[in-house]
Amino acid sequence: LIDGPKLYLLIIGNINCLFFSLITCKIKNINFIRNNFYFNSSMFHTRIKAANRIGTHHEDVISVIVGSLLGDGYANKRSVEGTRLCYRQSIIHQDYLFWLYEFFYSRGYCSSLKPRMYTRTIKKGEQVQTYSGYEFNTFTFRSFNFLYEMFYKHGKKVIRTEIEKYITPLALAIFIMDDGGWANPGVRIATNNFKLEEIQFLISIFKKKI
């Protein structure tokens, strides 16, 4: 079993080998060498079309994605190919961004390319401010489409009732890491992009499940 949702058909010599991961099982390096075939675990996802990347996804992976979509993360639906997750954080939060990258990379959800640095310039009146940070994207998965449908309506984020079954302590922790901050006493989470009734529904879920 290979860590992450993968389905592969490798033809090595006269042997058809079907590898299908059902649960999370971390294996760093797997190589098959015969008749000029060479496969490494970091290459598997790039060898198949995005539309053929399917689950099952581990609960921790879904929890991290749900928590980040409640926060700063965003989903990008790419036609019929599927959906990818996009992550961006300012340079002062680079440790958290790199933790997210390692979380997904170690499970086979993104490439070995490290998060890239970006610079953004914003003009406020006569002042020009420059912001720097890091960003990366996951691979595109057809099996991520349900997350896009759950979180977006006409391109804007929403909170639907079906999110309740995906709220876990890990999802809340990621939500806080994305949009939370200390507010003595306790923690304050920025939810400005959601409607009041959506926020109230989210609060009721946290009270019930966490």
Side-chain angles (χ1 to χ4, degrees), residues 109-120:
Y109 284 84
C110 58
S111 75
S112 59
L113 294 175
K114 297 293 184 181
R116 55 193 171 275
M117 192 173 188
Y118 72 88
T119 301
R120 183 174 61 177

Side-chain angles (χ1 to χ4, degrees), residues 101-136:
Y101 167 76
E102 289 296 336
F103 176 88
F104 286 111
Y105 173 64
S106 66
R107 290 161 175 79
Y109 284 84
C110 58
S111 75
S112 59
L113 294 175
K114 297 293 184 181
R116 55 193 171 275
M117 192 173 188
Y118 72 88
T119 301
R120 183 174 61 177
T121 301
I122 298 178
K123 187 175 182 180
K124 295 182 178 180
E126 297 297 321
Q127 294 184 335
V128 177
Q129 296 180 327
T130 300
Y131 299 90
S132 297
Y134 289 90
E135 61 185 1
F136 74 94

Side-chain angles (χ1 to χ4, degrees), residues 12-62:
I12 306 176
N14 295 320
I15 303 174
N16 292 335
C17 303
L18 181 65
F19 295 83
F20 180 44
S21 69
L22 296 175
I23 60 174
T24 297
C25 178
K26 186 185 298 183
I27 300 179
K28 285 292 185 181
N29 296 298
I30 297 181
N31 303 316
F32 300 90
I33 305 177
R34 185 174 175 181
N35 294 351
N36 298 322
F37 280 88
Y38 178 88
F39 293 87
N40 183 277
S41 61
S42 64
M43 298 169 59
F44 284 145
H45 280 311
T46 61
R47 291 289 181 176
I48 59 175
K49 292 183 178 180
N52 293 328
R53 294 192 185 113
I54 61 175
T56 302
H57 302 287
H58 192 275
E59 180 185 18
D60 286 352
V61 173
I62 297 300

Side-chain angles (χ1 to χ4, degrees), residues 142-160:
R142 185 181 62 183
S143 51
F144 279 168
N145 284 346
F146 84 98
L147 290 164
Y148 184 90
E149 299 299 331
M150 183 168 64
F151 270 97
Y152 289 87
K153 182 178 182 180
H154 305 308
K156 293 185 178 181
K157 281 187 180 180
V158 296
I159 294 178
R160 291 189 167 90

